[in-house]
Amino acid sequence: MSIIEDGKLMFHVLLHPFDGFYQVINHEKKRYILPTLILILVGIVGVLSYQYTGFILNTFPIHYINSITIFITTLFPIVLFLISNWSITTLFDGNGSIGDIFIVMCYALVPKLLFDISGILLSNVVTMEEAPLLNAFTMIGTVWFCFLLFCGLCVVHEYTALTNVLTLIATFIAAVIIIFLAMLYFTLMGKVIGFVYSVFSEITKRW
Amino acid sequence: MKKKRVLLFVLILCMLLPSTPVFAEHTQETNYIYDYWGDTPRSLPAFEWMDTIDQGQLGQIKMGSIDDVFVSKDERIFLVDTLESRVNVLDANLQLLQSIKLIRDENNKIIVDAANKQLMLDKPEGVFYHEYSDELYIADTGAERIVVLDGLTYQFKRIIERPENMVGATLFKPSKIVVDKDGKISVIVQGSYEGIIEIHNNGTFSRYFGLNKPRVNVIDHFWKTIATSEQKEKMEKVFAPAFNNLSIDSEGMIYATTFDSSAQDKVFRFNSKGENVLMENGYFWVIGDVNYLSADDRSQFVDIAVSDYGVYALLDKNKGRVFLYNFQGDLLNIFGSIGYSKGDVREPTSITWFGDKLIVTDKQFAIAHVYQPTEFGEAALYAEKQYYYGQWEEAAESYAKTIELNSNYDIAYTGVGRNYLMQDEYEEAMYYSKLGNARSYFSKAFAGYRNIFIQNNFIWLVIPFLLFAGYLIYSEYRYNRKNG
């Protein structure tokens, strides 16, 4: 019943981030089941918000929905942040492992998840005039998420607030570089594959 | 008996013949419309080719080109032929009434000036018929003057030359003109960056008007902010883009178009201060084609035709398409193309309303096509007319008919939904405005629907609240009892 324990701890984290994250990180054995579930849920909520956000607030072409793409694009920035933050903090004397950062991120996502779900539900009963209020409401979840993430990273890396801000800026730059390298890699690979394919087709046509 | 056998044989023979399938998708119509997301579903054309004005109607008189067209209220068609320096007048049956080149006075004598030269049109580019005074205004571009003729006899009335008190750098080469109710003349000079020239009826200069904002280039703007004033002097100046055509509606509002690529807007409706007050509440701005590959690929409007009920047609010289918009800026229809088939144009120059029909002129072929509304177009235009004049019931009926004919006509759903909203039938209004992607109407309908829902189910909303409040009070009571 470790999940229930984890769940209790998770809700403790929401209101007492420093104490809570400290407990989470220094658990005798780190458990990744609940964080992974939360992450998958975040992706699913991304799909749900595309499909089920009320008509007034939903300008997406619902007839074009591609749930796998939305799932991936929702999780992509999270995973990107995870990798770039880990790669920066290992250089900046951060104490957290990639697993720690993963757990912190996923627990921090919980308020955003809850507010987003309630935002989807409420968006079906608001009019256009009330929409800004709803946006402000869901914004609470996002602000809460940022706060928790900041605290959590402070705890796992044992940083002061200022160093944490600096590493976050460095994380952003690292994320841009990762995207750049990824694009470079994929275009190059595309060219290589194209070359191999054209050589192959040339050979098969000759013989 | 023998007859029956023959019939049977014929029947079997007929059944053996291969059937020829007829599918709508195999027809040549390629008309489309833009929906809320900028996709291009198929649509019906609102207008179809009906007749063509060409050399055949003119007989002996040669037609070199057609550069402008105007139709008066009594349905006389005025065609401007710049190449031959003529204005040809046709009646409603497309028969030639008169061809004007030499100007004659009241006694039907050719007017001769001091140098013993005949007064003759010189490469005119525009024409306007003033209904209130029955005068025909011809923009005689080559001779830098406006020639005013009697509208019925086509005899000379007066000439408006460059006003003496005119300021600015613009050359007085009138290209297109309109005259408002009070006789104030608005003149377009091609390439003028100062705006539309406004002249009083007595020929004195009034002002330049019309604000045509250039697009701001962020990089240029940045360099300009850090440049010294000497550097700035050497920099290329940004001029206001020029207008290229104009039109006037029944309220006396002036519409203008520009196809200068540096302009922010493409279509203008001016208030008296010269500000653009065109309503653009459609799915997109009034820019013609929404999807384009490059700046050269964008729609370039050469002319605008405004109807009495606010529907205006824009003529795109790039693709030869006609875009119909209503007074709110909703795109109604797109039709026409550049090509060689019947009804196509090569180099479109101008467009005008001819009753309910449209005339589109072509410079290169020196022809003018008359388009008549299709069944769908008739219903769509009728709906817009009724909506403009506030007859919402009739408008909704007509919108419903257009949906039957063309289910991709999204703004009709909005029209039907709007009418249901006015009748407080919220559920239907929500259904239709959702189909028309009209979120503001949907929101209003939903607010009404929600109110009724709350009124009907008030008790079920109140009970949980009361239960919760009761529980709170009870727990407080218990807590206080326990702790004394």
Side-chain angles (χ1 to χ4, degrees):
Chain A
M1 286 296 101
S2 55
I3 284 200
I4 292 172
E5 268 174 50
D6 281 356
K8 278 180 187 163
L9 194 54
M10 184 186 81
F11 283 107
H12 182 66
V13 164
L14 297 190
L15 296 172
H16 308 91
F18 285 100
D19 181 42
F21 278 127
Y22 189 77
Q23 283 184 40
V24 170
I25 299 309
N26 294 311
H27 217 272
E28 66 272 19
K29 192 175 178 297
K30 284 178 199 117
R31 288 190 292 257
Y32 295 106
I33 298 170
L34 187 66
T36 315
L37 278 178
I38 293 169
L39 197 66
I40 290 169
L41 215 59
V42 167
I44 291 171
V45 168
V47 180
L48 289 180
S49 82
Y50 187 98
Q51 173 87 44
Y52 291 111
T53 300
F55 173 71
I56 290 170
L57 288 162
N58 191 351
T59 54
F60 296 117
I62 292 170
H63 47 284
Y64 281 159
I65 187 165
N66 181 346
S67 45
I68 293 165
T69 314
I70 299 165
F71 187 82
I72 291 168
T73 47
T74 322
L75 295 190
F76 176 74
I78 298 168
V79 175
L80 183 68
F81 178 84
L82 180 69
I83 293 167
S84 57
N85 188 261
W86 174 69
S87 48
I88 287 296
T89 49
T90 40
L91 297 177
F92 277 73
D93 292 334
N95 286 335
S97 67
I98 193 161
D100 293 338
I101 303 171
F102 176 70
I103 293 172
V104 163
M105 277 211 64
C106 293
Y107 280 2
L109 276 168
V110 171
K112 184 168 159 52
L113 188 68
L114 295 176
F115 275 89
D116 280 0
I117 292 170
S118 46
I120 294 169
L121 293 175
L122 285 174
S123 71
N124 285 290
V125 293
V126 295
T127 61
M128 209 167 239
E129 290 78 34
E130 294 148 11
L133 282 175
L134 182 63
N135 282 336
F137 176 72
T138 50
M139 195 51 92
I140 296 173
T142 312
V143 171
W144 198 344
F145 156 70
C146 295
F147 172 69
L148 284 184
L149 185 66
F150 188 80
C151 297
L153 290 174
C154 274
V155 171
V156 291
H157 297 311
E158 294 174 16
Y159 279 157
T160 59
L162 186 67
T163 1
N164 201 8
V165 170
L166 288 177
T167 51
L168 283 176
I169 292 166
T171 302
F172 175 73
I173 295 165
V176 172
I177 293 170
I178 287 172
I179 290 173
F180 173 71
L181 288 178
M183 279 168 70
L184 204 67
Y185 174 77
F186 283 120
T187 42
L188 279 176
M189 280 314 284
K191 288 224 165 127
V192 169
I193 290 166
F195 173 71
V196 170
Y197 177 75
S198 58
V199 167
F200 171 76
S201 64
E202 196 73 14
I203 288 168
T204 48
K205 270 169 195 148
R206 203 153 278 229
W207 288 292
Chain B
M1 220 33 225
K2 206 179 172 188
K3 217 175 191 178
K4 264 189 185 168
R5 203 177 292 170
V6 168
L7 271 176
L8 194 70
F9 182 71
V10 168
L11 190 70
I12 290 166
L13 204 68
C14 284
M15 286 167 96
L16 283 174
L17 289 171
S19 62
T20 51
V22 179
F23 295 121
E25 61 187 283
H26 293 154
T27 55
Q28 292 300 307
E29 303 285 358
T30 54
N31 290 76
Y32 61 95
I33 187 97
Y34 286 103
D35 71 2
Y36 180 79
W37 293 283
D39 295 331
T40 49
R42 288 287 188 85
S43 174
L44 291 176
F47 284 83
E48 62 190 355
W49 176 85
M50 187 185 107
D51 212 338
T52 295
I53 304 165
D54 57 12
Q55 192 64 55
Q57 271 92 344
L58 283 140
Q60 296 293 312
I61 295 154
K62 193 170 177 295
M63 187 135 75
S65 69
I66 303 180
D67 291 81
D68 198 16
V69 59
F70 194 86
V71 176
S72 63
K73 281 261 153 54
D74 55 355
E75 302 212 319
R76 274 176 295 161
I77 305 165
F78 300 90
L79 298 170
V80 178
D81 183 347
T82 305
L83 235 60
E84 294 289 318
S85 295
R86 278 179 184 281
V87 173
N88 300 313
V89 188
L90 279 73
D91 66 6
N93 303 319
L94 311 184
Q95 296 308 310
L96 184 71
L97 289 175
Q98 180 103 14
S99 182
I100 306 162
K101 180 163 184 156
L102 292 166
I103 312 293
R104 292 163 192 272
D105 62 9
E106 301 92 83
N107 308 322
N108 239 359
K109 273 193 183 154
I110 295 167
I111 294 173
V112 180
D113 67 0
N116 215 7
K117 259 182 82 182
Q118 292 167 331
L119 182 63
M120 198 162 68
L121 293 180
D122 183 13
K123 297 190 178 55
E125 286 179 9
V127 68
F128 184 84
Y129 189 83
H130 194 228
E131 305 290 343
Y132 302 93
S133 62
D134 275 328
E135 283 175 337
L136 183 66
Y137 288 75
I138 300 169
D140 201 3
T141 315
E144 305 192 3
R145 65 190 171 196
I146 298 167
V147 178
V148 186
L149 303 182
D150 188 284
L152 303 169
T153 57
Y154 313 112
Q155 284 159 349
F156 179 78
K157 267 202 163 169
R158 64 182 191 277
I159 276 182
I160 299 166
E161 302 217 283
R162 185 193 152 91
E164 275 170 20
N165 57 345
M166 189 169 135
V167 293
T170 303
L171 293 170
F172 193 72
K173 274 181 169 294
S175 173
K176 310 285 173 192
I177 39 175
V178 296
V179 184
D180 75 359
K181 203 162 50 184
D182 309 322
K184 208 175 253 182
I185 308 164
S186 300
V187 183
I188 290 241
V189 175
Q190 299 295 344
S192 156
Y193 55 82
E194 284 166 314
I196 300 168
I197 303 169
E198 197 178 87
I199 303 172
H200 293 300
N201 200 27
N202 58 13
T204 54
F205 176 76
S206 163
R207 59 170 178 166
Y208 291 105
F209 93 117
L211 194 62
N212 194 351
K213 285 191 208 133
R215 217 190 296 244
V216 181
N217 187 334
V218 181
I219 298 164
D220 283 356
H221 188 77
F222 168 73
W223 284 118
K224 246 170 217 175
T225 51
I226 60 167
T228 63
S229 49
E230 279 142 30
Q231 281 173 323
K232 269 183 204 163
E233 261 173 36
K234 291 196 176 164
M235 276 181 184
E236 220 174 289
K237 282 202 180 76
V238 178
F239 289 117
F243 297 106
N244 60 281
N245 214 322
L246 81 175
S247 187
I248 192 165
D249 73 355
S250 52
E251 291 171 34
M253 299 287 270
I254 286 177
Y255 287 68
T257 58
T258 176
F259 54 70
D260 196 320
S261 57
S262 66
Q264 275 182 21
D265 302 313
K266 286 168 173 287
V267 184
F268 303 82
R269 180 177 193 254
F270 290 119
N271 63 8
S272 55
K273 264 173 82 184
E275 290 163 336
N276 190 3
V277 292
L278 189 78
M279 271 164 85
E280 294 185 280
N281 298 340
Y283 298 141
F284 297 96
W285 304 116
V286 180
I287 55 165
D289 271 322
V290 177
N291 304 330
Y292 45 85
L293 299 170
S294 64
D296 301 334
D297 196 40
R298 302 179 66 164
S299 303
Q300 297 187 316
F301 299 133
V302 279
D303 198 7
I304 179 170
V306 190
S307 71
D308 290 342
Y309 45 95
V311 171
Y312 51 92
L314 293 162
L315 182 62
D316 166 24
K317 75 164 182 178
N318 207 354
K319 304 256 169 75
R321 288 172 187 153
V322 177
F323 294 86
L324 281 174
Y325 285 91
N326 69 6
F327 73 101
Q328 289 187 313
D330 291 310
L331 181 60
L332 305 183
N333 201 262
I334 307 165
F335 69 93
S337 64
I338 282 182
Y340 292 100
S341 13
K342 200 180 236 181
D344 284 352
V345 285
R346 285 308 297 169
E347 195 188 335
T349 47
S350 70
I351 186 167
T352 193
W353 288 95
F354 175 42
D356 273 342
K357 302 184 271 289
L358 277 170
I359 298 180
V360 176
T361 64
D362 184 1
K363 188 182 177 77
Q364 198 168 323
F365 284 163
I367 52 173
H369 293 300
V370 183
Y371 293 93
Q372 66 182 8
T374 57
E375 192 186 355
F376 163 67
E378 239 167 51
L381 288 181
Y382 186 74
E384 293 305 331
K385 195 181 209 165
Q386 297 305 318
Y387 177 52
Y388 184 80
Y389 291 123
Q391 314 284 337
W392 288 35
E393 301 264 322
E394 282 94 7
E397 271 169 38
S398 215
Y399 278 127
K401 195 183 166 198
T402 58
I403 298 172
E404 266 172 41
L405 294 166
N406 177 5
S407 57
N408 283 341
Y409 189 56
D410 284 358
I411 62 158
Y413 295 109
T414 312
V416 174
R418 196 165 43 205
N419 191 43
Y420 277 123
L421 179 61
M422 290 309 281
Q423 293 165 353
D424 291 351
E425 290 180 28
Y426 298 122
E427 270 178 83
E428 281 89 350
M430 277 162 65
Y431 174 76
Y432 277 104
S433 40
K434 195 169 185 175
L435 285 172
N437 262 306
R439 283 180 169 69
S440 54
Y441 290 123
F442 180 89
S443 172
K444 285 193 184 97
F446 180 72
Y449 172 78
R450 196 177 59 178
N451 271 346
I452 291 173
F453 182 84
I454 290 173
Q455 274 169 26
N456 292 342
N457 299 285
F458 189 67
I459 193 80
W460 299 110
L461 297 168
V462 160
I463 283 175
F465 179 75
L466 283 179
L467 283 178
F468 184 66
Y471 169 75
L472 277 184
I473 291 166
Y474 173 70
S475 67
E476 279 296 302
Y477 169 73
R478 205 177 54 177
Y479 178 82
N480 284 327
R481 268 260 305 254
K482 215 187 260 177
N483 299 328

